[in-house]
Every structure is written in structure tokens, then in C-alpha cells.
């Protein structure tokens, strides 16, 4: 037994960032195990749309894209990890002239609580990239108030070749509007294009909201361009350690803090999906127009009380579906939406009869 | 800033070992990510009051304190970890004359299954303190029956200064009454005061008996100006105090929910008449009048044991169900088939209840050690 009343921790240098339950604060950075709850193909997604779990696209441009889960990845020999899938952004309509206010970024917003793992200390981003178009690209790191940004460049050397990139970022400043709880702690963005409005100097924390440098190539300039990302990791410290492999159940749980669905995991949420499996369901007690419904207990506590969207499993609307009668039932609504559960309510309609089996699918989104 | 465009990663061989699951068997030891589900301020807590998740206050004597989540912590430069909050104990009524059986301490009881991670092997406790009273303080670790104890001292050198303390503890003995399943595996206490009944002059070894502190322990509750802050508490196997393990807030919450669950939003303190119905157990009346009805609640994780539950009317000062439509408090919630995975809350309803009325009730479920 020994006692050490030291003020300093002599192991910090040796052990920074390694002894964590999850060292990687990017959720779903392996697109093989990312659950892709919303689907695996997104044709012309709107700006702000989520694609793979926890990843979204934002843009101002005339270009259009298709984002997919692609059966491509660095080999086990390259990455020291077996993976099979990547996140692919294919340009389907080009934007050859990037205006000052144009940009195109693929981002993940890290929650404030998780950001505390790397806040105010050096951290390292590592990822694999494969692009048809070579040249200088940028990644950016921004705070909740978008009043502090750090932009770094990396070079894609060879067309259509998996390359690993590692970027070490200096400690985030205390100044600025930062969120260390349930808001946006840090947004990490991969730029495909960036107009002058959002350009800054690389490799230092800047005041303002920036996505790239003036050297950023226009990755949207041809409808043959394809930009593919894999094995994205952010960890504390200045060393990029091997990509952290985690259990699928853990990844799903992490993602469900931000998005959940009643659909089977392999079914993309949609009206008239044709599947009732996993749907919210109840047996009517009263005949006719009477409110009823069922509780939806979320799989885990969500970041905040979510926004709930309903999907009729058979028809192209948001109504409940009466399985017994093979007919639509009443309009869907929610009661008492909390971060742990909600009550899905049905107005029921004339024709609904006691003992009828009535069902509906739903998604709950508490994304950042 | 440095960029390394390497195709190969040369670090694989060096870093394979550290990528393991949670090394810290203290839950919620970072009071920034500790969910504080019961609230963030506890005025005059009585003995065994749970405060921050998984931490409880133990007291015997006349001392009175207020325990809060406080916006203070060691800096990232000091601890290697960014944190914003600590657990603060402020003495509000002093106890200057310590009776033999008096004590005041902050504790966490570690479940037997988790204790297995460090049982019968060396382990290390590390934590940060910031006290405004210097001197010798004690920690102790004890088994489920209180028949084996290990007491160690630490010295607070400077007032109002964050200091890191590290204590190595020898392997727990096989003798004694130990629990390696879902009971108390190990209790860890941070002592502010202990009377002679619980004091020992034997330090840094496992001994037979139920001891909290050494005979050198200062009386930390001797003034109502005394303030004690704790942060970044960790217990890990081995002889080294490695940097504090940061785990995601979600995983901290899931761990804590094995012992305590609430239907209230995470930011809402459980209370009757909270004014918040979000997340409440809800149903719509399908049978009018004084007829049994209700709704299920499924816990997010399996609880340690079937928990003790309490009901909270969201919109009245009552433990009963609340009819939101009629703005009326009605029957007490009765439980059916309460287990470690869920519960059915039944409502006898009221003669005035009609079809379509919306009922709600909040619930807490406790399976603490």
C-alpha cells in the first residue's frame, strides 16, 4: 500500500485519451456498423438531411448529390480493421462556379457532454478518404455558437485510392459560445466546396464560422466526382490510434439517443412501407370515434424530448392503420412527449370496432 | 497542428491493450456527466439520502449540510480532463462535540458484480478535493457486512485549492462476508468526521471490524463555514492512478439507471405537482367510471432488483393519478407485476371519469444499494 498525495498526475502524458470506455467521440464513424436507421440511399437529400446515423449534409449550391452506403472500404491490411462499407457522396449535377455564399459539407454534431472528453485540450481526427478528384480539401471544427472555428487542410494525392488522413487540433479556446451539456458541443465538417464567405486561415482557432480555406478544391465541379469517407475517429491527444471497434449493440444504443424508429432496423422509415413489424399497436376497446393509443417507450433516454413523426404502414399517410379491417384508422398525434417515452394517440374513426388490431410506425428525432 | 497523411498506421502494436471496457468502477464520478437525476441541490439531507446519482450522504450527529452540484472543478491542465462541475458539501450547522457514534461522510456502494473487477487484487482510488479546511482526512472501503475495513488517510495541504489524492489499496481478503452478486460489493466512504466507535489507529491494512476513519481525522463539520468539494472520483484495478476515464453521458446515465429511474425529463427534479407531464405514464380512458385501467412502464435497463416505486401526480400535490382532461386528482396508483424490467401502473379511476379522458402519473423506481 502506498499513498501519493500529488497535485500533479504524472501519467497524463503517457495515458492521455487511451483509457476510455469509448475513445472515439464520433458516433457511427465506421459505416459498416453504423446502423443507417434512415436508409442506405439518399437521392438529392435536402440541406440539413441526415443520412448515415449522426451524419448530415448541409449545402448552398446548385449541385445535387446522391449519398449512399457504399460497399467499399480500406482493406484490413491498410486500416488494421476489417470493414466493408463507406459513406459515398456522388455528384449528380455539377456546380462549376462556387459563389461566395456556396458550400457543401458533410458533418457530425457532437453533443456537449461528449465534447468534454476533448474540450480545451489537443485532439486528433483521423479518417480514410477516397475521391475521384484530387487536391486540397478541408475539415472544420465549430462550436455551438458558430463563433469559433478551426479549419485544417488535407491533400488527396491519388484519384480513387484510399488514403488515411490525420489532423491534430490544438486545444479549443474557452472564449466563444460553447455548450458542454446537451447542445452542440462541436460540429465536425468535411467540405467538398466552400465559397469565400466561409473561408479562413488554416490551423488555428478563428473567431467566426468557417468551413474551409481558399485552397479548398471544388469537389462539386463534375457529375463524375465521388467522395467517399470511412473510419472517422476523433480522440483526445496528439496521436491517431487505431480505429476503435465497438459492439454493434453499443453503437445502436449511442445512435438511439438521437434517433429511434419502430421499424425493423433494416427498413427505412416511410409511409406505406408494407411492414407492420415492430409497429406501435393496440386492440380497440371501444367502437367508433374514441381516442385511444399506446405508449412508445424509447429504447434509451433521448438527448431531449424528441420530435415524433408517424407513418401509416400500409397507406401513404400519417394515419393509424386498422389491420383487422384493412383500412385506415384515425389521425395520429402524441401526448406527453418526454425524453423517455411518448403516448401515441389515435382519434379512431367510424368503422373501428372493439378488438380491432390498430397499428402505426413512428420515428423520434432528437438530433443536434 | 500537424497533419500526417500516412496510409499505414504504425501504432497498432503499441495501443492494442488499452482499448478495453470501463476501467472505473465508480459510477458518475465525474459530476459534470453524472446525471443528478434526483436534483442538483439537497438541503439538510438526512442519513442515506441519495444526492448525485450513486452517491449518498451518511450522517449521525448534529451536523447539517447542503449538498449541491457546483460549477467548479480542476482545470483540464491539472487533471488532463475537461470538466465543469463538482459535488459540494457545505456545512450549515456545525457539530463541534463529536460523540463516539457520530459520523459524516459521502459514500458510494459498488455492486458485487462490479466489485469483482477489483476483488482480491490491488486497486487504486484517485480523486480531487478542494476543501477550505486543511488537515488529515480519511477514506475507507468496507464490505457488505461491515466486518472488514480498510482505512487510509490523505492530507489536504492548502485551502480552496484543487489537489489530487491517490490511494493504493491491497487485495481484499477472502475472509469476511462479501457479496459478489447484486448486493453491496464494496462501500467507499469519504469521511468528514467520525467518532471513536468508528475510528482506528491501524491504517492501510484490511482489518476485522467496521471502521470509517483514523484517530487523526479532523472534524470537518466543526464550523458552518466549512465547504468540501469532490471531483473526478475513480477506482481502478492495479497500482497506478491513470487519468480519469471519461465515458459518454448516455452510458453514465444507463449505468445509473440500473439503480434509479424516473419518468420525468432528465432536467426535471422528481416532485409532486411539478407542472411537467412530459414523459409521464399516460393512457386514455376506454371504460368510464370507477373501473380499473392503467398503463405499463418499461425501464430502459434491467434494474438491480425489482425497485421500490413512488408515484407523483404531475399537476397536484399528490402521489395519485391525475386526470388531465378533468383537472382532477383521483386514485392512488397500484402496481401490478412489478419486476426489474418494468411495471404496470393501475388506476381504479373515478366515477366522474368519462371516455377519452387523459390520465397521467410520474414514477420513480429505486433499486439503490
Amino acid at each position: 500500500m502506498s499513498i501519493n498525495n500529488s497535485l500533479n498526475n504524472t501519467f497524463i502524458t503517457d495515458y492521455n485519451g487511451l483509457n476510455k470506455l469509448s475513445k472515439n467521440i464520433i458516433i457511427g464513424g465506421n459505416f459498416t456498423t453504423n446502423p443507417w436507421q434512415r436508409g442506405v440511399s439518399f437521392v438529392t437529400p435536402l440541406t440539413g438531411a441526415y443520412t448515415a446515423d449522426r451524419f448530415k449534409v448541409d449545402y448552398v449550391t446548385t449541385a445535387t448529390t446522391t449519398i449512399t452506403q457504399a460497399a467499399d472500404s480500406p482493406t484490413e491490411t491498410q486500416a488494421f480493421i476489417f470493414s466493408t462499407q463507406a459513406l459515398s457522396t456522388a455528384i449528380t449535377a455539377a456546380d462549376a462556379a462556387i459563389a461566395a455564399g456556396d458550400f457543401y459539407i458533410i458533418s457530425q454534431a457532437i453533443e456537449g457532454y461528449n465534447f468534454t472528453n476533448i474540450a480545451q485540450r489537443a485532439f486528433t481526427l483521423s479518417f480514410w478518404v477516397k475521391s475521384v478528384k484530387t487536391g486540397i480539401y478541408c475539415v472544420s471544427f465549430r462550436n455551438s455558437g458558430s463563433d469559433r472555428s478551426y479549419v485544417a487542410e488535407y491533400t488527396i494525392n491519388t484519384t480513387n485510392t484510399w488514403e488515411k488522413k490525420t489532423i491534430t487540433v490544438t486545444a479549443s479556446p474557452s472564449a466563444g459560445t460553447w455548450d458542454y451539456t446537451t447542445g452542440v458541443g462541436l460540429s465536425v465538417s468535411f467540405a467538398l466546396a466552400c465559397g469565400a464567405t466561409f473561408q479562413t486561415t488554416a490551423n488555428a482557432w478563428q473567431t467566426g464560422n468557417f468551413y474551409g480555406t481558399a485552397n479548398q478544391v471544388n469537389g462539386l465541379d463534375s457529375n463524375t466526382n465521388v467522395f467517399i469517407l470511412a473510419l472517422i475517429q476523433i480522440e483526445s491527444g496528439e496521436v491517431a490510434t487505431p480505429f476503435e471497434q465497438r459492439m454493434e449493440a453499443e453503437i445502436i444504443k449511442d445512435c438511439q439517443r438521437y434517433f429511434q424508429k419502430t421499424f425493423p432496423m433494416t427498413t427505412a422509415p416511410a409511409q406505406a412501407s408494407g411492414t407492420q413489424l415492430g409497429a406501435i399497436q393496440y386492440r380497440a376497446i371501444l367502437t367508433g370515434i374514441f381516442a385511444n393509443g399506446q405508449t412508445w417507450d424509447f429504447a434509451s433516454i433521448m438527448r431531449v424530448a424528441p420530435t415524433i413523426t408517424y407513418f401509416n404502414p400500409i397507406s401513404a399517410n400519417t394515419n393509424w392503420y386498422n389491420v383487422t379491417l384493412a383500412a385506415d384508422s384515425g389521425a395520429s398525434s402524441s401526448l406527453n412527449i418526454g425524453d423517455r417515452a411518448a403516448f401515441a394517440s389515435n382519434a379512431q374513426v367510424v368503422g373501428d370496432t372493439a378488438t380491432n388490431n390498430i397499428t402505426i410506425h413512428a420515428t423520434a428525432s432528437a438530433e443536434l | 497542428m500537424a497533419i500526417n497523411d500516412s496510409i499505414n498506421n504504425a501504432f497498432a502494436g503499441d495501443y492494442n491493450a488499452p482499448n478495453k471496457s470501463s476501467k472505473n468502477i465508480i459510477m458518475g464520478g465525474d459530476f459534470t456527466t453524472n446525471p443528478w437525476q434526483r436534483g442538483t441541490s439537497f438541503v439538510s439531507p438526512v442519513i442515506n439520502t441519495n444526492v448525485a446519482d450513486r452517491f449518498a450522504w451518511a450522517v449521525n450527529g448534529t451536523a447539517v449540510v447542503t449538498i449541491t452540484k457546483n460549477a467548479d472543478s480542476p482545470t483540464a491542465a491539472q487533471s488532463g480532463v475537461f470538466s465543469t462541475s463538482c459535488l459540494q458539501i457545505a456545512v450549515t450547522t456545525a457539530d463541534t462535540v463529536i460523540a463516539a457514534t457520530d459520523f459524516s461522510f459521502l459514500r458510494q456502494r459498488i455492486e458485487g458484480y462490479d466489485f469483482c473487477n477489483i476483488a482480491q487484487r490491488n486497486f487504486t482510488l484517485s480523486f480531487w478535493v478542494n476543501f477550505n479546511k486543511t488537515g488529515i482526512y480519511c477514506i475507507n472501503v468496507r464490505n457488505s457486512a461491515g466486518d472488514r475495513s480498510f482505512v487510509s488517510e490523505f492530507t489536504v495541504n492548502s485551502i480552496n485549492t484543487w489537489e489530487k489524492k491517490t490511494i493504493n489499496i491491497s487485495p481484499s481478503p477472502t475472509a469476511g462476508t462479501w457479496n459478489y452478486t447484486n448486493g453491496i460489493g464494496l462501500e467507499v466512504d469519504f469521511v468528514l468526521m467520525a467518532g471513536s466507535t468508528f475510528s482506528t489507529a491501524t491504517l492501510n491494512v484490511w482489518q476485522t471490524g467496521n471502521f470509517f476513519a483514523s484517530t487523526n481525522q479532523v472534524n470537518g463539520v466543526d464550523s458552518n463555514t466549512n465547504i468540501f468539494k469532490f471531483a473526478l472520483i475513480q477506482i481502478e484495478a492495479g497500482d497506478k492512478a491513470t487519468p480519469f476515464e471519461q465515458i459518454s453521458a448516455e452510458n453514465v446515465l444507463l449505468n445509473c439507471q440500473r439503480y434509479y429511474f424516473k419518468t420525468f425529463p432528465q432536467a426535471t427534479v422528481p416532485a409532486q405537482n411539478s407542472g411537467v407531464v412530459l414523459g409521464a405514464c399516460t393512457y386514455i380512458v376506454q371504460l368510464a367510471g370507477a373501473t380499473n385501467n392503467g398503463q405499463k412502464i418499461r425501464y430502459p435497463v434491467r434494474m438491480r432488483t425489482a425497485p421500490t416505486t413512488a408515484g407523483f401526480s404531475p399537476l397536484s400535490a399528490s402521489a395519485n393519478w391525475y386526470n388531465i382532461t378533468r383537472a382532477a386528482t383521483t386514485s392512488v396508483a397500484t402496481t401490478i407485476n412489478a419486476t426489474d424490467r418494468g411495471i404496470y401502473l393501475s388506476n381504479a379511476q373515478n366515477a366522474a371519469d368519462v371516455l377519452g379522458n387523459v390520465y397521467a402519473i410520474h414514477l420513480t423506481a429505486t433499486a439503490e444499494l
Side-chain angles (χ1 to χ4, degrees), chain A residues 1-9 11-23 77-80 111 113-121 128 150-157 161-170 180-181 203-204 239-244 246 250 252-258 282 284-286 290-302 305 335-343 345-346 348, chain B residues 1-13 15-16 18-23 30 32-34 69 76-84 128 150 152-157 161-170 204-205 236 239-251 253-255 257 261-267 277-287 293 295-298 300-301 324 355-356 358-360:
Chain A
M1 216 292 301
S2 65
I3 298 176
N4 172 19
N5 284 353
S6 63
L7 290 177
N8 298 310
N9 188 323
F11 303 108
I12 290 174
T13 306
D14 300 329
Y15 288 94
N16 257 351
L18 297 177
N19 290 313
K20 295 182 186 305
L21 180 62
S22 176
K23 68 179 177 184
T77 305
Q78 288 176 309
F80 294 103
E111 187 177 343
Y113 281 127
N114 294 339
F115 174 55
T116 61
N117 287 7
I118 59 166
Q120 298 185 16
R121 59 191 304 193
W128 289 78
Y150 185 108
V151 170
E153 298 176 344
Y154 65 94
T155 302
I156 293 179
N157 302 297
T161 303
W162 281 110
E163 301 176 11
K164 182 176 183 180
K165 307 300 175 187
T166 300
I167 293 171
T168 301
V169 180
T170 55
Y180 300 118
T181 60
N203 303 337
V239 176
T241 64
F243 189 85
E244 178 185 54
R246 302 182 62 211
E250 295 174 350
I252 291 172
K253 205 78 170 170
D254 284 350
C255 292
Q256 286 176 328
R257 179 169 171 83
Y258 307 94
Y282 73 92
I285 297 173
L286 297 169
F290 289 103
N292 203 342
Q294 186 55 272
T295 294
W296 181 19
D297 290 305
F298 304 137
S300 60
I301 302 291
M302 301 195 74
L335 294 173
N336 301 345
I337 303 171
D339 53 15
R340 66 154 209 100
F343 188 87
S345 181
N346 180 11
Q348 289 190 190
Chain B
M1 214 292 300
I3 299 177
N4 171 17
D5 284 355
S6 64
I7 289 180
N8 296 309
N9 190 321
F11 302 107
Y15 289 93
N16 276 340
N19 292 322
K20 62 175 190 174
S21 61
S22 184
K23 67 179 179 184
D30 178 355
T32 306
T33 50
N34 185 307
K69 179 182 182 182
Q78 287 176 309
S79 67
V81 171
F82 179 82
S83 61
T84 61
W128 288 78
F150 183 109
S152 189
E153 297 176 345
F154 66 92
T155 301
V156 173
N157 302 296
T161 304
W162 282 108
E163 300 177 8
K164 182 175 184 179
K165 307 301 176 187
T166 301
I167 295 174
N168 297 122
I169 298 168
S170 55
N204 302 330
V205 294
E236 60 195 300
D239 291 330
K240 285 184 179 177
T242 64
F244 186 85
E245 177 186 57
Q246 287 183 291
I247 63 178
S248 70
E250 182 198 7
N251 283 319
L253 176 59
L254 284 171
N255 285 337
Q257 284 178 326
F261 165 79
K262 63 179 181 182
T263 57
F264 296 87
Q266 282 299 304
V277 295
L278 305 181
C281 183
T282 303
Y283 77 91
I284 300 174
V285 171
Q286 301 295 300
L287 295 170
N293 208 330
Q295 187 56 275
K296 67 178 174 61
I297 293 178
R298 188 191 67 187
V301 296
I324 296 173
L355 300 179
V358 177
Y359 261 105

